[in-house]
Amino acid sequence: MSVLVLTLIILIGAYAAGLVGSLTGLGGGVVIIPLLTILLHVNIHYAIGASLVSVIATSSGSAAAYVREGITNMRLGMFLEVATTSGAITGAIIAKYLPVQYIAILFGVVLIFSALLSLRKKVDHIEKTKNLVAETLKLNGNYPVGDTHVAYNVQNVGGGFIMMIFAGMMSGLLGIGSGALKVVAMDGMMRIPFKVSTTTSNFMIGVTAAASAVVYLQRGYIDPGLAMPVVIGVLLGAFTGSKILVNAKADKLRYFFSIIITLLAIQMIYKGLTGTI
């Protein structure tokens, strides 16, 4: 297979990954890593390196729009980035010593968990109870709803911070944004409105991925020839997905693609258990 043909296959596959990732809200890495490792037999460390670069690119583009609209809680995001970046660097270091079979199994398990979470009912929590730590750190905020702004208070700051360390470790280990885990921490534990949770998570994902990407770059796991078509394909796919969501029934699409992602996850787990990854 020539380099040109391989690049075109990766580009098309990355486009599909970005499209599916956008429609499910899980990001392109959840598809691009199984595509590269299972179908193209790329070493999983190089697949993770390419995925991290694509996560940085897609997060940077979409995060800017949410910040401009005033939905993202930047102060909270920057505070929690201390946890996610430290976790991401730790995860990237552990990845060097963890056998690829275990990484594949862990990837499959986290993928199934993330796919299930993407289907759960979205509920906006508007907490009125004040938290001393959140008050001290000035983490509470508000977000626009129509012509008004709705205020909310952040809860359980310590629990959310610890969960973010774990989310960062998963990002560094597996090369995905771990957006689902971040949303669990903010929406489920810190009781932040869902829209604020998702946009703040998106704001944080790029920084988290950049922290672990530095470790992968130092080890030579980021190949420009592999990362370039992956980034371009995922960006184009994510852009297309955002356009489709405007006119499509999002719930049905999420169910359909979550099934696909779950099947890919099962395949990754099987490959890890049989040692054929």
Side-chain angles (χ1 to χ4, degrees):
M1 186 184 298
S2 67
V3 174
L4 180 60
V5 173
L6 180 61
T7 301
L8 285 173
I9 292 172
I10 294 172
L11 186 63
I12 294 168
Y15 175 83
L19 179 64
V20 174
S22 173
L23 293 174
T24 56
L26 297 178
V30 299
V31 179
I32 197 65
I33 293 176
L35 170 75
L36 293 175
T37 55
I38 296 173
L39 297 182
L40 299 178
H41 306 291
V42 173
N43 181 287
I44 195 168
H45 290 117
Y46 287 94
I48 290 172
S51 175
L52 286 170
V53 176
S54 74
V55 167
I56 296 168
T58 52
S59 172
S60 302
S62 58
Y66 293 133
V67 170
R68 189 167 54 249
E69 291 173 13
I71 303 173
T72 304
N73 187 329
M74 290 187 63
R75 191 177 183 90
L76 176 64
M78 294 176 73
F79 169 71
L80 294 177
E81 275 170 3
V82 176
T84 59
T85 51
S86 59
I89 293 170
T90 303
I93 293 170
I94 292 173
K96 180 181 179 181
Y97 305 101
L98 197 65
V100 293
Q101 294 93 331
Y102 295 157
I103 295 176
I105 294 169
L106 184 60
F107 182 90
V109 171
V110 171
L111 215 55
I112 292 172
F113 176 71
S114 299
L116 291 173
L117 282 177
S118 72
L119 299 176
R120 72 191 179 98
K121 187 177 180 181
K122 280 66 176 177
V123 179
D124 271 345
H125 305 287
I126 308 296
E127 289 288 341
K128 299 299 181 182
T129 307
K130 293 185 178 181
N131 179 277
L132 179 61
V133 178
E135 283 278 302
T136 304
L137 297 175
K138 299 179 181 179
L139 302 179
N140 300 326
N142 60 75
Y143 70 106
V145 178
D147 296 328
T148 62
H149 280 73
V150 178
Y152 58 88
N153 292 322
V154 178
Q155 307 295 315
N156 195 10
V157 177
F161 192 87
I162 293 170
M163 185 67 182
M164 286 297 174
I165 295 175
F166 177 72
M169 287 182 66
M170 292 301 101
S171 177
L173 262 173
L174 308 176
I176 57 179
S178 295
L181 296 175
K182 291 184 176 74
V183 172
V184 166
M186 288 187 283
D187 178 54
M189 299 178 70
M190 304 180 80
R191 312 299 288 177
I192 300 169
F194 187 80
K195 186 180 287 188
V196 179
S197 298
T198 52
T199 54
T200 305
S201 169
N202 198 281
F203 169 73
M204 295 164 58
I205 282 172
V207 179
T208 306
S212 46
V214 171
V215 179
Y216 281 86
L217 182 64
Q218 288 177 334
R219 291 179 182 156
Y221 287 142
I222 297 180
D223 183 351
L226 180 63
M228 182 270 293
V230 167
V231 170
I232 294 172
V234 169
L235 279 172
L236 291 174
F239 178 76
T240 306
S242 66
K243 296 298 181 183
I244 292 173
L245 272 176
V246 174
N247 301 312
K249 293 182 179 179
D251 289 340
K252 290 184 178 180
L253 287 171
R254 285 195 179 96
Y255 277 109
F256 176 69
F257 287 117
S258 291
I259 292 171
I260 294 176
I261 289 170
T262 301
L263 292 174
L264 288 172
I266 292 170
Q267 183 73 0
M268 288 288 285
I269 293 171
Y270 173 77
K271 291 276 187 181
L273 290 173
T274 56
T276 55
I277 190 73

